[in-house]
Amino acid sequence: VHNGFELNEKSIYCSGALLKSTFAIQHIGNTYISQYLGDTTNYDIQKAYEKLYQHLSSVLEFKPEVIVTDKHPNYFSTEFGKQLSEKHHIPLLQVQHHKAHFASVLAENELINCDDPVLGVIWDGTGLGDDQQIWGGEFFKYSKNVMKRVDHFEYFPHIAGDKMANEPRLSALSLSSQNGKDSNYTKDKFTPVEWKIFKQKLDLKTQLNTSSVGRLFDAVASLLGLCNNQSFEGEAAMILQSLGEDFYHNNLNYNAFYDITKLSGSSIIQAIIIDLDQGISPNEIAFKFHLTLVHLVMLIAKKQRTKHIAFSGGVFQNTLLVDLLIDQSGRD
């Protein structure tokens, strides 16, 4: 049941998200997933999306009774779902991005009816939150068909809109500015004009904020001098992961992490800056950063008294992070 709707026997169309887009149809007891469509900010992809929806609807003789979309109002898939809803007078349900991530893991691993609570660790770059801020460092707890956001990384300013996802230097500036350390490690990444503009943006009282762990990875990569401007999605995080892996392979017994007890990206950045001041190598800092994230997950799991932990979101494409989490879970 969702918002008063009994969904099991309904014909449902789920419109998907934005960049790595697919859509899904539930019809006569079966679920059909479209092929990968891709970035729906692209006009050609939008037309392919519409054509495929019409084709599958015809082949399956499918007429939706309920439409499910993401909550973000500017996604093509959200607008497409809304138009269908309005045109055919069909109920529309909107689901928060990270809750959808968590629900997918619960369903895939048959945890929907789990007797014990499940902690959902959902980390990615961007998703519109229920509070209209940009989420991406979320902890949820699921028990008895109820999903609740129980914790999240501290918010920090989300500056320059979508530009921030393409320029890790902006994440470094935003997070380091929380500690007054920005000029020492970030100023040379900007022209004087850029520096003035972005510093002014940070001072805005109506600033949009984010809890994104994806942007935290970007910030660390930029501070370490690895990547200030990305040429493709995830580039900065991939380079940071590679450095951490190189260090790990040569230091298998290394177990130091930043002794941080709260979900604070700015505190992690402050600790990294101290290491940089002391001449610690970027490889060691990269690995230490990964271990710190694992440490924080375990702290929250203990706080929430959960034995089952589910992970989802783009950050967990990082195999080093996943392997370290599995290793630590085995120890605990």
Side-chain angles (χ1 to χ4, degrees), residues 2-278:
H2 184 93
N3 289 359
F5 292 100
E6 180 66 50
L7 298 178
N8 286 340
E9 303 302 322
K10 297 286 187 181
S11 290
I12 304 173
Y13 160 63
C14 299
S15 67
L18 180 71
L19 294 178
K20 304 168 187 69
S21 186
T22 61
F23 62 80
I25 287 173
Q26 179 176 293
H27 184 51
I28 317 179
N30 294 308
T31 301
Y32 304 88
I33 309 294
S34 76
Q35 72 258 37
Y36 174 79
L37 290 160
D39 184 355
T40 55
T41 63
N42 181 291
Y43 178 76
D44 290 337
I45 301 300
Q46 293 176 8
K47 303 315 291 183
Y49 182 112
E50 294 172 348
K51 184 176 180 180
L52 180 59
Y53 174 80
Q54 297 300 333
H55 174 69
L56 285 180
S57 296
S58 176
V59 169
L60 298 172
E61 297 182 350
F62 168 74
K63 292 184 179 180
E65 297 173 277
V66 177
I67 292 172
V68 182
T69 73
D70 193 280
K71 277 194 169 183
H72 199 298
N74 296 330
Y75 286 2
F76 165 80
S77 55
T78 301
E79 183 59 30
F80 185 79
K82 283 183 177 180
Q83 289 177 2
L84 279 179
S85 171
E86 294 169 0
K87 181 178 179 180
H88 301 291
H89 306 288
I90 303 167
L92 175 70
L93 302 180
Q94 293 190 291
V95 179
Q96 199 281 323
H97 186 85
H98 300 93
K99 292 178 182 178
H101 266 302
F102 187 20
S104 70
V105 181
L106 293 171
E108 184 177 353
N109 292 279
E110 299 182 350
L111 292 170
I112 296 294
N113 297 313
C114 181
D115 292 332
D116 299 318
V118 182
L119 179 69
V121 184
I122 315 299
W123 294 349
D124 63 6
T126 303
L128 182 65
D130 289 336
D131 57 1
Q132 302 303 302
Q133 301 300 319
I134 303 299
W135 290 5
E138 313 311 309
F139 292 81
F140 297 94
K141 193 172 185 178
Y142 174 83
S143 180
K144 298 179 180 178
N145 294 315
V146 176
M147 186 185 295
K148 182 181 179 181
R149 187 189 191 213
V150 293
D151 225 325
H152 62 88
F153 269 78
E154 286 183 356
Y155 286 128
F156 58 94
H158 186 275
I159 55 177
D162 292 340
K163 189 178 180 69
M164 193 171 186
N166 298 323
E167 300 185 19
R169 61 181 186 156
L170 292 174
S171 295
L173 171 61
S174 179
L175 278 160
S176 61
S177 291
Q178 305 298 101
N179 302 307
K181 298 283 188 178
D182 55 323
S183 59
N184 294 332
Y185 284 95
T186 57
K187 193 169 185 177
D188 63 351
K189 303 179 189 299
F190 300 89
T191 67
V193 173
E194 288 175 330
W195 181 256
K196 181 179 179 180
I197 291 172
F198 291 129
K199 289 289 287 180
Q200 287 175 343
K201 287 183 176 295
L202 283 171
D203 292 337
L204 293 175
K205 300 301 181 183
T206 57
Q207 184 69 255
L208 186 67
N209 294 303
T210 181
S211 59
S212 172
V213 174
R215 299 291 79 80
L216 175 58
F217 266 85
D218 288 349
V220 175
S222 179
L223 281 180
L224 298 185
L226 307 177
C227 182
N228 291 318
N229 295 273
Q230 298 192 117
S231 57
F232 58 88
E233 183 188 6
E235 180 181 7
M238 290 170 66
I239 299 171
L240 186 63
Q241 175 187 335
S242 179
L243 252 65
E245 288 172 339
D246 287 344
F247 182 83
Y248 178 57
H249 291 154
N250 294 305
N251 301 271
L252 295 178
N253 295 319
Y254 186 94
N255 59 8
F257 53 82
Y258 296 113
D259 189 16
I260 292 168
T261 58
K262 61 179 181 178
L263 296 168
S264 169
S266 62
S267 294
I268 293 174
I269 294 298
Q270 185 174 21
I272 287 174
I273 288 174
I274 292 172
D275 271 1
L276 287 171
D277 286 341
Q278 294 177 349

